[in-house]
């Protein structure tokens, strides 16, 4: 049997996120062009996360019981089918197109277990001292997905028309299924140590009843909420500020996709190279707090910049701050969780992130109509408060973390 490999799981997540990056920047633009209200745009974007909120802990617990590989294969195949449905919907018009787009995101969310199980996979094969650094691979995959995905989406939109991005995303995920089927080994074999399956809400209460893990899950929820607000409204904000006709001009749509790609480049550079050194220098708690402070300052600035260089600086700062949150959060969660509960606990954390991606788009799209700056200023305030709370509670060395790292070093 092949040895589990970080490179293979990274490639699996990366290729899947290329498809995600192709579609995500276009969702609010397509929905707006089909006549959706601000609330409906938020619902379509949030539907994916609503289904993930329900199913992420289920898939995580299932991967603890039957292994990571079969769950990853099912989620990858489901992603390919969902993007094909997105392509079909993007070629329609009016209310019909909106409901097909909504259906595609609902189905994608039901099958979307890749990130949850991939993080459990990394925890399976990584010693505690290196987990925050290795969790950065997932973030790096996100960043690279937002580099190549939006760029590929923009090119496919230009050369293949409005249905092109969906079909290209479906093709990437189909290729990913083939890759995973033939080269992805299993990382976790269930043993007598595994705990009995808990009902859904019992798993939540069990996880959140542990103070440090509960705080980390809350921090991930708030970070994801703020970034989801940004993702939902960036295209609409830029079109207003710089007078881009995103409804009728494909070059304007392409401009938005390149902005997402730029954010992805910054995020990938941070999570692919700097996270390990930052964790070693600052520790997980200080790094998480610092990430919130950076996000707060950049969120407050973005709606008020009116020149392209200033926008790029603000977006770069937001990308740096956002990319510094996920790896240390999930690194600490995996350190504080027993081996046979990795999938279930990480599933709860991912489910909390999905809940944030439900609330964030609806919140941001609805308030954006009132005034474009409101969702950004609210998120800036949330990030500032979260950073202060994390600084006060997580910046003292935790005995179990120190012990785990010392034991690994020894």
């Amino acid at each position: 049997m092949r040895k589990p490999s970080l490179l293979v799981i990274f490639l699996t997540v990366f290729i899947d996120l290329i498809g995600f990056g192709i579609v995500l920047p276009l969702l609010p633009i397509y929905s707006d062009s089909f006549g959706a209200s601000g609330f409906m745009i938020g619902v379509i974007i949030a539907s994916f996360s609503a289904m993930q909120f329900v199913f992420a802990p289920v898939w995580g617990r299932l991967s603890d019981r039957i292994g990571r590989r079969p769950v990853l294969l099912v989620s990858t195949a489901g992603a390919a089918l969902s993007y094909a449905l997105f392509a079909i919907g993007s070629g329609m018009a009016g209310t019909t197109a909106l409901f097909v787009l909504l259906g595609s995101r609902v189905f994608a969310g039901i099958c979307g277990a890749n990130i949850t199980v991939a993080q459990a996979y990394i925890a399976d094969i990584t010693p505690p001292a290196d987990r925050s650094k290795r969790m950065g691979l997932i973030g790096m995959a996100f960043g690279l997905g937002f580099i190549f995905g939006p760029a590929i989406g923009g090119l496919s939109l230009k050369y293949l028309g409005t249905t092109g991005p969906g079909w290209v995303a479906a093709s990437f995920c189909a290729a990913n299924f083939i890759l995973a089927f033939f080269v992805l080994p299993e990382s976790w074999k269930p043993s007598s140590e595994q705990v009995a399956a808990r009902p859904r809400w019992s798993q939540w209460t069990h996880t959140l009843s542990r103070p440090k893990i509960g705080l980390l899950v809350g921090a991930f929820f708030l970070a994801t909420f703020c970034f989801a607000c940004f993702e939902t409204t960036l295209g609409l904000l830029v079109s207003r500020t710089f007078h881009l006709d995103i409804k009728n001009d494909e070059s304007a749509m392409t401009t938005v996709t390149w902005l997402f790609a730029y954010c992805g480049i910054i995020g990938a550079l941070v999570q692919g190279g700097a996270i390990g050194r930052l964790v070693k220098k600052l520790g997980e708690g200080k790094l998480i707090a610092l990430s919130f402070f950076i996000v707060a300052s950049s969120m407050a600035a973005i709606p008020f910049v009116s020149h392209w260089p200033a926008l790029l600086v603000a977006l770069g700062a937001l990308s740096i701050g956002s990319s510094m949150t996920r790896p240390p959060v999930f690194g600490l969660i995996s350190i504080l969780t027993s081996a046979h509960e990795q999938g279930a606990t990480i599933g709860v954390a991912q489910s909390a992130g999905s809940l944030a991606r439900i609330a964030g788009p609806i919140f941001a799209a609805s308030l954006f109509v009132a005034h474009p700056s409101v969702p950004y200023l609210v998120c800036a305030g949330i990030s500032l408060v979260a950073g202060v709370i994390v600084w006060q509670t997580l910046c003292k060395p935790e005995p179990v973390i120190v012990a785990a790292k010392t034991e690994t070093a020894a």
Side-chain angles (χ1 to χ4, degrees), residues 2 10 12 54 68 97 105 160 177 186 202 216 221 295 308 310 325 328 342 350 367 370 388:
R2 296 181 302 275
F10 170 79
T12 302
V54 175
R68 317 298 186 201
R105 302 312 292 159
L160 301 176
F177 174 81
E186 182 57 74
S202 295
L216 290 166
F221 170 86
V295 169
W308 287 108
T325 307
Q342 291 286 333
Q350 284 294 151
L367 291 186
V388 171

Side-chain angles (χ1 to χ4, degrees), residues 137-210:
L137 290 175
I138 299 296
M140 185 181 180
F142 263 103
L144 291 174
F146 273 96
I147 296 170
F148 293 100
I152 293 170
L155 292 174
S156 59
L157 180 68
K158 180 178 180 179
Y159 293 106
L160 301 176
T162 55
T163 63
W167 291 120
V168 171
S171 300
F172 269 100
C173 288
N176 193 27
F177 174 81
I178 295 172
L179 172 70
F181 184 83
F182 286 105
V183 305
L184 182 69
E186 182 57 74
S187 67
W188 171 251
K189 288 294 184 182
S191 67
S192 59
E193 293 183 8
Q194 69 172 324
V195 297
R198 296 185 179 90
R200 174 177 169 75
W201 296 114
S202 295
Q203 182 63 54
W204 270 79
T205 55
H206 170 74
T207 299
L208 299 180
S209 65
R210 303 171 65 186

Side-chain angles (χ1 to χ4, degrees), residues 127-132 210-213 215-216 279-280 282-286 288 327-337 393-410:
D130 294 329
R131 285 182 188 170
S132 293
R210 303 171 65 186
K212 294 298 182 183
I213 292 181
L215 179 62
L216 290 166
V279 169
K280 184 178 294 185
L282 299 176
E284 283 89 347
K286 289 182 180 178
I288 296 168
V329 164
F330 281 95
L332 279 181
I333 288 175
S334 68
I335 290 170
L336 296 169
T337 303
T393 57
L394 286 182
C395 290
K396 294 180 179 180
E398 186 71 15
V400 66
I401 298 172
V402 174
K405 292 185 175 182
T406 303
E407 179 182 350
T408 303

